[in-house]
Amino acid sequence: MDQLFNTPEPEDAGTAPPAADAPLAARMRPTTLDEVVGQEHLLREGTALRTAIEQGAPHSMILFGPPGTGKTTIARLVATHGRETAAEGGLEWAEPPYAFEELSAVQAGRAEVREIMARAAERRRAGRGTVFFLDEIHRFNKAQQDALLPAVEDGTVLLIGATTENPYFEVNSALISRTRVYELRALDAADLERLLERALGQLGCTAEDGVVAFLADRAGGDARTALNALELACETAGRDGRPAATVADAEDALQRKAVLYDRAGDKHYDYISAWIKSTRGSDPDASLYYLAIMLEGGEDARFIARRMIILASEDVGNADPQALQVAIAAAQAVDHVGLPEAHYALAQAATYLALAPKAASAGRALRAAREHVREHGAADPPSAMRSAAYPAAKALGRGVGYDFPHHHPGHVNDQEHLPEGLETLRFYAPDDTEPEMAKRLEAARRARGRDV
């Protein structure tokens, strides 16, 4: 009777073989651990992750790495590997040991997550687990991530989050503490060549010398990019009636892909570089132009905001201290408001930073100080400058003789702060766009009886 009211499990499509007309990258997705190319540091024999999967005792995890490195593949293998192990032992599972539910945090909302949790709870009562694969988990805000905690804690779902961003910055610490973080690496050229050679057999295509090497070198460690380009190159050759794909076909395939903004490829770096240089160069029109390209291309707005914060200190600095606050406010707007409305805050920050006076003195001074330390080592501070916060510190002379600046006019004393023998070191020299900082520095050095 219960079967009359059962609806098809939505995860069946997630573990079913891909359609014959699916993209090559989908058709080539590994179905066993031994078919996975690359990520040996995570999946070679004896590693913790491989052992957990093989023994049917996986755990919640965050998979962190560039696009096209196998995050989705690993998630699917966690859900389906038990069937493979049982078959090897002479048994057959009627269904995979885990149901597989998949969402993208870009499109999913609370309603979709609640539906998955409800299905997972029902399966759990029936004795079956659920793998919940959440792609781009960093796109969920704090409240959405917190909502996952109860189901992860009580085992309702085995959560596998995938992200291209550092999870220690982008995922809530509470969720991090309940998962294991695994970092996937970009595939090297040798890995991609093996994968492409295997794909040629899948396509029933041949390729001239140099095609596989070219695609492996130019794919930037992204298996999906390499496979899609190979498929397009073979299709081009087939339409032209040629027996084999050529290097020219491969070049054309990559060029067609590169017309679109690729967050993981050269365009990602080229356009953020152009934005930084234009903004540093006080050109608001160019700054807005490259900002528009990045936003239209789907660049992560938080990545752009982080670069704005860096530029505010690196290139504007104390010539306009307000610039850093503007950049930080734009980053907060991205987190609290989200796109598309946060475009306004990014545009405001871009134009403010472009037109702000520029100064690189703070960064230049720090570089000079670090170079000195690298060359000469770290000298001990004078005893008066050292910490006296632990028992018996004063008996060692720590902190003895410290002259509290607030006891002096202007809150400046003439005590030496640098280590002995380094009293004449000078690193900071304000730019001509920092007249106020120059005045303060001169006054402070004069009050301390130092040369200016």
Side-chain angles (χ1 to χ4, degrees):
M1 173 68 77
D2 289 343
Q3 293 180 352
L4 293 175
F5 301 97
N6 285 345
T7 56
E9 288 280 11
E11 74 276 4
D12 291 345
T15 54
D21 60 351
L24 178 62
R27 304 201 306 274
M28 290 290 297
R29 192 182 300 282
T31 57
T32 69
L33 288 169
D34 290 333
E35 291 178 0
V36 177
V37 173
Q39 313 310 333
E40 287 84 1
H41 65 295
L42 296 179
L43 296 176
R44 67 175 180 272
E45 292 288 346
T47 58
L49 179 56
R50 182 174 184 126
T51 300
I53 296 174
E54 288 180 333
Q55 292 180 353
H59 44 264
S60 290
M61 64 190 79
I62 304 292
L63 302 177
F64 157 46
T69 52
K71 297 185 288 293
T72 305
T73 291
I74 291 175
R76 290 172 183 264
L77 288 174
V78 167
T80 61
H81 190 77
R83 172 192 284 175
E84 170 194 344
T85 303
E88 291 173 354
L91 303 172
E92 288 292 342
W93 289 89
E95 58 185 357
Y98 290 91
F100 185 80
E101 297 267 15
E102 179 176 3
L103 280 181
S104 170
V106 175
Q107 300 170 328
R110 290 185 178 181
E112 290 84 357
V113 172
R114 281 197 297 267
E115 290 174 3
I116 286 178
M117 296 307 176
R119 290 194 294 265
E122 186 65 29
R123 293 188 199 101
R124 191 182 185 198
R125 286 190 285 270
R128 188 183 183 202
T130 299
V131 168
F132 176 26
F133 178 60
L134 182 58
D135 197 14
E136 299 197 74
I137 188 173
H138 62 275
R139 297 278 191 155
F140 264 15
N141 61 33
K142 184 180 186 302
Q144 289 172 308
Q145 291 182 26
D146 284 344
L148 301 172
L149 291 174
V152 174
E153 279 190 329
D154 66 15
T156 299
V157 297
L158 191 153
L159 175 68
I160 302 181
T163 176
T164 56
E165 306 291 335
N166 189 329
Y168 292 102
F169 296 121
E170 304 296 340
V171 178
N172 291 356
S173 58
L175 201 53
I176 289 285
S177 69
R178 291 162 176 79
T179 60
R180 289 281 301 275
V181 176
Y182 295 104
E183 183 174 4
L184 281 69
R185 300 169 184 166
L187 303 182
D188 60 31
D191 290 333
L192 289 175
E193 286 192 23
R194 292 202 308 273
L195 184 62
L196 291 169
E197 292 287 358
R198 189 190 304 169
L200 286 171
Q202 173 80 19
L203 289 168
C205 173
T206 58
E208 293 183 354
D209 291 344
V211 169
V212 168
F214 170 79
L215 292 175
D217 287 337
R218 292 285 298 275
D222 186 332
R224 189 180 299 108
T225 294
L227 290 169
N228 289 341
L230 178 65
E231 183 174 32
L232 180 55
C234 286
E235 289 175 354
T236 299
R239 284 195 300 269
D240 294 344
R242 290 181 279 108
T246 65
V247 172
D249 294 327
E251 289 175 340
D252 189 41
L254 281 179
Q255 287 170 1
R256 290 178 187 174
K257 181 176 180 62
V259 169
L260 300 176
Y261 187 91
D262 183 358
R263 285 179 53 189
D266 290 342
K267 297 291 184 182
H268 166 80
Y269 299 103
D270 286 346
Y271 283 114
I272 194 61
S273 175
W275 179 84
I276 291 168
K277 292 170 181 174
S278 299
T279 309
R280 180 188 295 142
S282 301
D283 187 340
D285 299 305
S287 178
L288 290 169
Y289 174 74
Y290 294 120
L291 174 62
I293 290 175
M294 290 188 289
L295 293 173
E296 287 296 316
E299 181 59 82
D300 187 346
R302 286 177 294 185
F303 166 75
I304 299 172
R306 286 195 295 270
R307 298 309 308 182
M308 288 181 170
I309 293 172
I310 294 168
L311 185 139
S313 286
E314 180 181 5
D315 295 299
V316 178
N318 291 321
D320 182 356
Q322 182 66 22
L324 181 58
Q325 297 305 313
V326 170
I328 291 173
Q332 292 174 335
V334 169
D335 280 337
H336 293 303
V337 178
L339 298 179
E341 289 84 356
H343 287 177
Y344 299 113
L346 292 173
Q348 178 184 353
T351 50
Y352 189 99
L353 294 171
L355 294 176
K358 305 300 189 294
S361 56
R364 183 171 58 243
L366 179 60
R367 285 193 297 273
R370 295 184 70 174
E371 287 171 6
H372 177 90
V373 171
R374 291 190 191 108
E375 183 175 350
H376 301 285
D380 288 336
S383 293
M385 299 295 113
R386 299 174 74 174
S387 172
Y390 58 94
K394 288 190 176 181
L396 297 173
R398 305 292 192 261
V400 175
Y402 175 59
D403 187 8
F404 199 51
H406 298 300
H407 293 163
H408 294 268
H411 303 272
V412 178
N413 62 26
D414 63 354
Q415 188 166 40
E416 184 55 60
H417 302 109
L418 285 164
E420 183 178 357
L422 301 179
E423 295 88 352
T424 60
L425 281 180
R426 299 292 181 267
F427 299 117
Y428 180 50
D431 285 347
D432 57 6
T433 53
E434 301 174 293
E436 185 61 32
M437 297 300 292
K439 291 178 183 177
R440 293 181 193 175
L441 177 63
E442 180 179 356
R445 284 179 175 169
R446 286 190 186 281
R448 297 184 59 245
R450 304 303 190 268
D451 65 286
V452 295

